């Protein structure tokens, strides 16, 4: 019998990931159960889903309930169970145990996790459960970020992974990135290593200066420390710790959690979710921002840095001369230029280095490119290579920073193609 | 006398979902991206381009920037001294630029002209933008002091249909839903990631507010930033270009026919003059029939698709009968029978049109021509109408004041 998906049970629908992903599924015509510990929590999730869709019409496709009263009905009717409960192995495993007697054989179970080890999640479950278990790592908000990393564990039916990849692409218009079951998959593995290094540099150069230097003009819609504030410092820490524990590579030493960051977490300064206490940024009543001083952990007013090559690059980007801007960045000298070049080259080197480890070798850099563009809104590594003047120029810059030039960079042809619509990744800010 | 053929060699459209003010970009950056993308797609060389015609409605208002032709000269050292010119005809600005490029080529003045349509609109608040758009109507009489003059004018178009023939708003909702659905297939469409369906389009509420009269948010095209760069060329140039690409000349699309009319500025005058006539907007109808005649087409059924000017659902409703898909006043039949949907007998706006793809005012005419090119060269990807050979475009400025129709096709 041909497999179809019409009904989905979303577990953890009170949270941001569960509610927005579930809402997105409802937008696409699927019948979706929103389940969480309480009916009220699920209803709050529904409100988030409505706000995302900007339409109440989707409520026709959504049934809200709590685990105690509706898990049995939802799971027995679901073609796909999308688990989005807390990022805690024991919590997830307890939920899977609960699902086991309720789900029909053959029902797909996927987790949205990317930082836990996939192999561990379905341990102890039946053969049928394990065969139909995989990870579908959606990025948030799904209405704006189309990336979805997908992978199975050692016992997942490969045909099921193929089916889900096709379904996610065709029915849900996701940018599907097949990844290997390694911690952080492709996107978080790369992005959070860079975040970690930037938090380390912030201890020395300050928060405002780091977000100024590695600002949107370097190929991202949002500056890095502002992004950590959005994600939450506690989540940042959990991802870094997971990567520290479960990955090993030549850049592992960059996965640091500076002391000041640990202290910020202890003080409950987690970012946007603790708006009153702040994070790296603190919004004042006037609408202005102050930035935390990593040395004193006191918020200090903005001093609005001004570095000549940065301002010149932004001016060139303002009029659409992107490659000229990156030539300026590439050729700039001084401490600030060293920092920008270090981050850009680390991004390129690390991404190309991971081709074949986090994504299939046969896909070259394209899988990583796609997740960075459609999951983070960052210029892809190959696009940065193009902007820096091509792979030879980029390789020279990598070498000058003491980085090993990955063979996959030298063999890459993607970075030689004209990058359509590339300007969207380079705001003149 | 047989007119010389003018070929359309394709081009490039920027991603209409982008907000260039949020990116802190100058309007010339948008033109540059459209131009550079067009070179990469068409493989035309800067030295091939002998003139650049720019279609733009109101950069002076939205961006405090006029004289857009001069920016083109900065795009390549080869362009120093290049003849450039800017054309304005409200929402039909870049169709006028294309018409003029066609005429210059037919007159033998140039062999290859870049036509750029561009508009940056997200620089101001919706109210201010609405006021600026009001200058495309008779500002003093139709726009001054009115928050959103154009929804009001095109709402009135619906009122005229209702009075003369009857109009059920559910058909307008269906038009919106079709355009949004098509836009989901178009990677450059502004609304490709937006949620929308027929039920939503039918409802009024917090997320689909009534603008004025029968016009709700979903009946409107949105405020859009965008630029398009396309190339028109003489037969001599096209033949050389085809050789360069290793293609027969016959594979390249040409302008098979065109129509261009101007109606009185005021909407009330237009409809007063059409009282008792079968078509509500007879000058729009004439632009269409002129294009049919020049292209040697019997009627709309000789076409494979239409890219029409659905600035509002009412303008597409009007286009359906004015193109001749139904008898006057019976556009609802084509909607009900699925004629205008993808897979229907004559799909309208496979790109998503202005409602789905977006409406950067001065770029829309060029965007429609580019989509016609994509259809007849079978390069439209997921929104391809299978086997399309002839596609019509209708670009209107103001309240159907300036009307420009092209028929693009290949042998």
């Amino acid at each position: 019998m041909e497999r179809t998906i019409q009904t989905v049970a979303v577990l953890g629908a009170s949270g941001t990931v569960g509610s927005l992903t579930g809402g997105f599924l409802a937008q696409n015509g699927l019948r979706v159960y929103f389940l969480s510990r309480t009916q009220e929590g699920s209803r709050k999730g529904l409100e988030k889903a409505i706000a995302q869709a900007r339409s109440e019409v989707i409520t026709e496709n959504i049934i809200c309930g709590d685990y105690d009263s509706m898990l049995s009905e939802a799971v027995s009717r679901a073609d796909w169970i999308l688990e989005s409960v807390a990022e805690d192995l024991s919590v997830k495993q307890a939920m899977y145990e609960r699902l086991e007697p309720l789900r029909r054989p053959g029902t797909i179970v996927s987790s949205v996790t990317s930082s836990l080890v996939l192999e561990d999640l379905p341990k102890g479950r039946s053969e049928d459960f394990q065969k139909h278990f995989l990870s579908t790592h959606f990025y948030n908000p799904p209405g704006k970020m189309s990336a979805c990393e997908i992978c199975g564990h050692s016992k997942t039916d490969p045909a099921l992974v193929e089916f889900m990849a096709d379904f996610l692409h065709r029915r849900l218009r996701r940018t599907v990135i097949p990844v290997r079951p390694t911690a952080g998959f492709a996107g978080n593995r790369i992005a959070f290593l860079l975040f970690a290094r930037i938090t380390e540099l912030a201890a020395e150069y300050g928060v405002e200066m780091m977000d100024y230097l590695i600002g949107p003009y370097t190929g991202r819609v949002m500056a890095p420390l502002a992004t950590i504030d959005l994600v939450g410092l506690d989540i940042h820490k959990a991802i870094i710790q997971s990567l520290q524990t479960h990955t090993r590579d030549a850049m592992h030493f960059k996965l640091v959690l500076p002391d000041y960051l640990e202290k910020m977490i202890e003080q409950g300064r987690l970012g946007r979710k603790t708006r009153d206490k702040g994070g790296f940024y603190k919004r004042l009543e006037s609408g202005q921002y102050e930035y935390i001083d990593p040395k004193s952990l006191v918020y200090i007013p903005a001093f609005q840095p001004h570095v000549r090559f940065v301002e010149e690059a932004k001016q060139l980007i303002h009029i659409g001369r992107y490659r000229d801007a990156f030539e300026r960045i590439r050729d700039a000298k001084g401490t600030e230029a060293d920092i920008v070049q270090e981050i850009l080259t680390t991004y390129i080197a690390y991404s190309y280095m991971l081709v074949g480890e986090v994504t299939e070798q046969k896909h070259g850099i394209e899988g990583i490119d796609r997740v960075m563009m459609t999951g983070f809104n960052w210029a892809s590594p190959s696009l940065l290579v193009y902007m820096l003047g091509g792979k030879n120029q980029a390789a020279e810059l990598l070498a000058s920073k003491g980085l090993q030039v990955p063979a996959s960079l030298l063999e890459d042809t993607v970075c030689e193609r004209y990058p359509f619509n590339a300007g969207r990744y380079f705001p003149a800010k | 006398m047989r007119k010389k053929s003018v070929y359309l060699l394709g081009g490039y459209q920027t991603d209409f979902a982008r907000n260039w003010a949020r990116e802190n970009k100058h309007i010339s950056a948008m033109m540059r991206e459209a131009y550079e993308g067009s070179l990469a797609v068409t493989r035309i060389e800067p030295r091939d381009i002998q003139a650049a015609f720019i279609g733009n409605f109101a950069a002076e208002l939205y961006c405090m920037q006029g004289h857009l032709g001069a920016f083109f000269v900065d795009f390549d050292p080869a362009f120093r001294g290049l003849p450039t010119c800017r054309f304005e005809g409200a929402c039909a600005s870049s169709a006028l630029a294309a018409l003029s490029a066609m005429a210059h080529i037919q007159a033998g003045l140039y062999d290859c002209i870049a036509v750029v349509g561009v508009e940056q609109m997200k620089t101001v608040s919706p109210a201010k933008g609405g006021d600026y758009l009001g200058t495309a109507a008779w500002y003093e009489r139709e726009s001054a002091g009115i928050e959103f003059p154009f929804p009001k004018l095109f709402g009135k178009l619906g009122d005229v249909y209702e009075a003369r023939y009857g109009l059920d708003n559910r058909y307008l909702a269906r038009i919106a839903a079709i355009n949004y659905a098509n836009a989901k297939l178009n990677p450059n469409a502004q609304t490709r990631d937006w949620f929308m369906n027929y039920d939503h389009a039918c409802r009024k509420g917090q997320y689909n507010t009534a603008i004025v009269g029968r016009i709700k948010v979903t009946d409107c095209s949105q405020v859009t930033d965008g630029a398009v760069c396309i190339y028109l060329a003489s037969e001599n140039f096209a033949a050389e270009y085809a050789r360069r690409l290793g293609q027969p000349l016959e594979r390249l699309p040409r302008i098979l026919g065109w129509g261009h009319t101007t109606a009185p500025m005021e909407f009330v005058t237009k409809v007063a003059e059409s009282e008792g006539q079968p078509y509500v907007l007879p000058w729009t109808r004439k632009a269409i029939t002129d294009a049919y005649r020049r292209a040697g087409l019997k009627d709309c059924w000789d076409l494979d698709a239409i890219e029409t000017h659905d600035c509002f659902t009412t303008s597409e409703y009007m286009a359906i009968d004015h193109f001749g898909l139904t008898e006057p006043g019976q556009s609802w039949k084509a909607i009900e029978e699925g004629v205008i949907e993808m897979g229907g007998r004559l799909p309208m706006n496979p790109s998503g049109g202005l409602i789905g793809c977006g409406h950067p005012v001065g770029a829309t005419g060029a965007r429609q021509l580019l989509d016609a090119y994509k259809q007849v060269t079978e390069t439209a990807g997921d929104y391809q109408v299978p086997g399309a050979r002839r596609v019509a475009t209708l670009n209107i400025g103001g309240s159907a004041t300036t009307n420009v129709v092209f028929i693009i096709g290949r042998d």
Side-chain angles (χ1 to χ4, degrees), chain A residues 55 60 318 322 428-429, chain B residues 22-24 33 200 203 207:
Chain A
S55 175
E60 289 162 16
H318 178 65
Y322 307 118
K429 292 179 178 173
Chain B
R22 200 176 290 158
E23 290 179 24
N24 188 24
E33 275 197 39
H200 179 71
R203 285 192 192 189
Y207 296 114

Side-chain angles (χ1 to χ4, degrees), chain B residues 242-390:
Chain B
R243 259 195 303 279
R244 218 192 282 172
L245 298 187
Q247 279 187 15
L249 178 62
E250 300 71 42
R251 293 279 303 166
L252 297 181
R254 310 184 271 127
I255 298 174
L256 300 177
W258 57 276
H260 177 196
T261 61
T262 312
M265 186 67 135
E266 256 189 302
F267 186 73
V268 289
T269 312
K270 289 183 187 82
V271 294
E273 289 182 4
S274 73
E275 189 70 54
Q277 295 188 42
Y279 291 98
V280 172
L281 297 169
W283 296 109
T284 307
R285 169 68 180 168
K286 184 172 188 308
I288 292 167
T289 52
D290 284 354
Y292 286 167
R293 178 176 47 76
R294 288 184 175 114
L297 304 189
K298 193 163 71 308
D299 54 32
C300 67
W301 307 114
D302 286 341
L303 295 167
D304 299 300
I306 294 170
E307 281 289 333
T308 195
H309 196 96
D310 56 320
C311 47
F312 296 89
T313 50
T314 50
S315 51
E316 181 163 335
Y317 192 84
M318 174 276 295
I320 293 170
D321 64 354
H322 283 56
F323 267 104
L325 277 70
T326 66
E327 291 298 311
Q330 297 185 3
S331 299
W332 60 271
K333 279 190 181 171
I335 299 165
E336 194 161 272
E337 291 165 8
V339 174
I340 62 168
E341 293 176 34
M342 291 295 273
R345 189 176 173 200
L346 185 50
M348 267 194 166
N349 290 341
S351 68
L354 283 64
I355 287 174
C357 183
H359 183 28
V361 169
T364 286
R367 196 278 302 160
Q368 292 175 323
L369 284 167
L370 179 57
D371 272 317
Y373 170 91
K374 288 178 181 173
Q375 290 296 342
V376 300
T377 54
E378 300 202 59
T379 53
D382 289 346
Y383 63 103
Q384 179 68 47
V385 174
R389 299 290 286 262
R390 281 186 287 264

Side-chain angles (χ1 to χ4, degrees), chain A residues 327-377:
Chain A
E327 191 180 313
R328 189 74 198 83
I329 294 168
R330 189 190 66 205
D331 296 342
K333 304 280 181 227
T335 307
E336 293 91 352
D338 284 343
I339 291 170
V340 176
Q341 291 160 0
E342 184 207 319
I343 296 299
L344 295 183
T345 51
T346 301
Y347 176 40
I348 292 168
Y350 196 48
S351 300
Y352 277 92
M353 192 182 100
L354 292 180
V355 170
E357 183 177 336
V358 296
T359 51
E360 297 279 348
Q361 188 78 42
K362 65 183 178 189
H363 294 143
I365 194 66
E366 281 182 286
I368 290 172
D369 273 356
R370 286 191 294 153
V371 75
M372 300 320 293
M373 289 190 291
T374 62
F376 285 86
N377 247 332

